[in-house]
Amino acid sequence: MLASSQANADDDLMEAARQSFRPIPSVVLAVKDNPVTHEKVELGKILFFDPRVSASEIISCNTCHNLGTGGVDAGPTSVGHGWQLGQRRAPTVYSSVFNVAQFWDGRAADLKAQAKGPVPASVEMNATPDHVIDTLNSMSEYGVMFKKAFPSEASPVTFDNFAKAIEAFEATLITPAAPFDQYLEGDTNALNNQQKSGLKLFMETGCSSCHNGINVGGQDYFRFGQIERPSTSLRPTADKGRFAVTKVASDEYVFRAAPLRNVALRPPYFHSGQVWSLKQAVGVMAKVQLGAKLSDTEENDIVAFLNSLTGQPPKIEYPILPTRTDATPPPALGK
């Protein structure tokens, strides 16, 4: 009788979870207005790792979105051109293709737009589209790869195609087969009892009202400090979030809900990058977003559930980059 009752409870929990979440697929989904081909992905991978598209020729996409450390860098905010500190924590590139938009404030509609953003940003790559194109055109290997990736175009080395190739590569950076995915697909033993308890709390406490869908977040925008204002270290007053995009007063301190896939791999947390403990982050979110005070056991259970969101990243071999030539622009160090 007890076994039957437990089985029913497990079935109910799984069914409730399926109402709010979806497993990550094992294959790349289609990307809008940008067919994902092998040639485009291979080109995008090399561009992702090439620091010569930055003015200093030190900073690549992988610098801030390190594929070896959860798709993010090590510090609270990224270090850019001339050792400048960025304003926000770098979002993860893993499974970012599933987000409704890119960046914490959603200012980029897709990964193509996101790929273009860091190039001219003075605090990031501090370059220009012309610098990128001049650099790529200076190496014949790139010309060959662009032609293979965009075979219908007479002059394929363009800034738009640079962004499309990076988007195609990033679309392959999905992390399926997490224990939680296996659970959603019917394996009740994929989560242990503590993780199931954490999942139940995650839904009943209200966490899943913002963190839901395939990416367990990343699908909508919410005010950070819904119930209680966070400290200024967690929510700097100068960074008003989505307000900078929309200029709508109600969007002050509104940010895209962080996708929680692989969240255990990428401390520190929040857009300000000021919390290094996942357990502390859970407590902060419960307090300022939901007005809830979780017990030590409840926080531990939710953290156990969040650990079940760690999937299997693709194996990426670091590419050998095309060799620079006399025509390749020199680095602009200290400028």
Side-chain angles (χ1 to χ4, degrees), residues 10-176:
D10 284 344
D11 289 344
D12 290 345
L13 179 62
M14 183 179 289
E15 184 56 36
R18 286 171 170 169
Q19 299 302 310
S20 295
F21 311 103
R22 288 188 293 131
I24 287 183
S26 58
V27 295
V28 180
L29 301 180
V31 177
K32 184 179 179 182
D33 301 325
N34 187 18
V36 176
T37 65
H38 172 74
E39 293 77 11
K40 202 179 291 183
V41 169
E42 285 302 300
L43 171 60
K45 178 175 72 172
I46 292 175
L47 293 171
F48 185 89
F49 284 98
D50 198 332
R52 294 167 298 186
V53 298
S54 68
S56 66
E57 302 192 8
I58 294 173
I59 301 169
S60 70
C61 301
N62 191 65
T63 302
C64 299
H65 303 284
N66 194 311
L67 300 186
T69 55
V72 295
D73 54 11
T77 61
S78 299
V79 177
H81 186 81
W83 297 101
Q84 297 176 86
L85 290 177
Q87 185 181 36
R88 295 176 184 154
R89 174 78 173 128
T92 181
V93 71
Y94 279 121
S95 296
S96 58
V97 68
F98 301 122
N99 294 331
V100 66
Q102 305 303 322
F103 295 114
W104 283 96
D105 54 19
R107 65 185 182 274
D110 52 34
L111 289 170
K112 288 187 291 292
Q114 189 280 327
K116 293 180 177 181
V119 171
S122 61
V123 75
E124 296 183 63
M125 291 183 169
N126 195 41
T128 65
D130 285 345
H131 169 83
V132 172
I133 299 310
D134 289 345
T135 298
L136 299 177
N137 276 327
S138 75
M139 294 173 267
S140 60
E141 291 173 75
Y142 268 127
V144 172
M145 287 185 285
F146 269 87
K147 189 60 182 176
K148 288 181 178 178
F150 302 94
S152 64
E153 299 186 26
S155 302
V157 184
T158 67
F159 194 53
D160 281 346
N161 286 345
F162 161 83
K164 286 181 178 180
I166 291 175
E167 177 182 52
F169 170 62
E170 291 182 346
T172 69
L173 299 178
I174 58 176
T175 57

Side-chain angles (χ1 to χ4, degrees), residues 254-277:
V254 167
F255 297 88
R256 187 197 62 192
L260 298 183
R261 291 286 184 174
N262 308 298
V263 67
L265 302 181
R266 55 177 201 269
Y269 300 107
F270 306 130
H271 69 284
S272 52
Q274 293 300 307
V275 173
W276 290 89
S277 160

Side-chain angles (χ1 to χ4, degrees), residues 167-189:
E167 177 182 52
F169 170 62
E170 291 182 346
T172 69
L173 299 178
I174 58 176
T175 57
F180 187 52
D181 292 313
Q182 297 171 49
Y183 178 79
L184 291 173
E185 291 166 348
D187 182 0
T188 189
N189 296 318

Side-chain angles (χ1 to χ4, degrees), residues 144-315:
V144 172
M145 287 185 285
F146 269 87
K147 189 60 182 176
K148 288 181 178 178
F150 302 94
S152 64
E153 299 186 26
S155 302
V157 184
T158 67
F159 194 53
D160 281 346
N161 286 345
F162 161 83
K164 286 181 178 180
I166 291 175
E167 177 182 52
F169 170 62
E170 291 182 346
T172 69
L173 299 178
I174 58 176
T175 57
F180 187 52
D181 292 313
Q182 297 171 49
Y183 178 79
L184 291 173
E185 291 166 348
D187 182 0
T188 189
N189 296 318
L191 300 187
N192 61 34
N193 289 336
Q194 185 182 26
Q195 289 169 331
K196 289 176 184 177
S197 176
L199 168 60
K200 189 170 185 289
L201 277 167
F202 191 84
M203 292 189 291
E204 291 181 348
T205 306
C207 307
S208 61
S209 61
C210 299
H211 297 281
N212 51 50
I214 191 169
N215 231 6
V216 195
Q219 299 304 304
D220 211 341
Y221 304 92
F222 302 92
R223 181 181 177 87
F224 184 33
Q226 195 75 16
I227 303 298
E228 181 179 317
R229 180 183 300 177
S231 69
T232 55
S233 64
L234 298 184
R235 195 189 76 177
T237 54
D239 185 357
K240 295 189 177 182
R242 191 153 172 76
F243 172 77
V245 178
T246 66
K247 306 303 181 185
V248 175
S250 59
D251 280 339
E252 288 190 357
Y253 305 112
V254 167
F255 297 88
R256 187 197 62 192
L260 298 183
R261 291 286 184 174
N262 308 298
V263 67
L265 302 181
R266 55 177 201 269
Y269 300 107
F270 306 130
H271 69 284
S272 52
Q274 293 300 307
V275 173
W276 290 89
S277 160
L278 186 53
K279 181 176 178 178
Q280 183 185 353
V282 167
V284 168
M285 289 299 286
K287 180 181 178 183
V288 305
Q289 296 302 102
L290 302 170
K293 178 67 173 74
L294 299 176
S295 69
D296 187 67
T297 297
E298 289 172 330
E299 289 180 355
N300 286 335
D301 288 354
I302 290 178
V303 168
F305 162 64
L306 294 177
N307 273 280
S308 79
L309 302 179
T310 301
Q312 297 179 8
K315 293 187 182 301

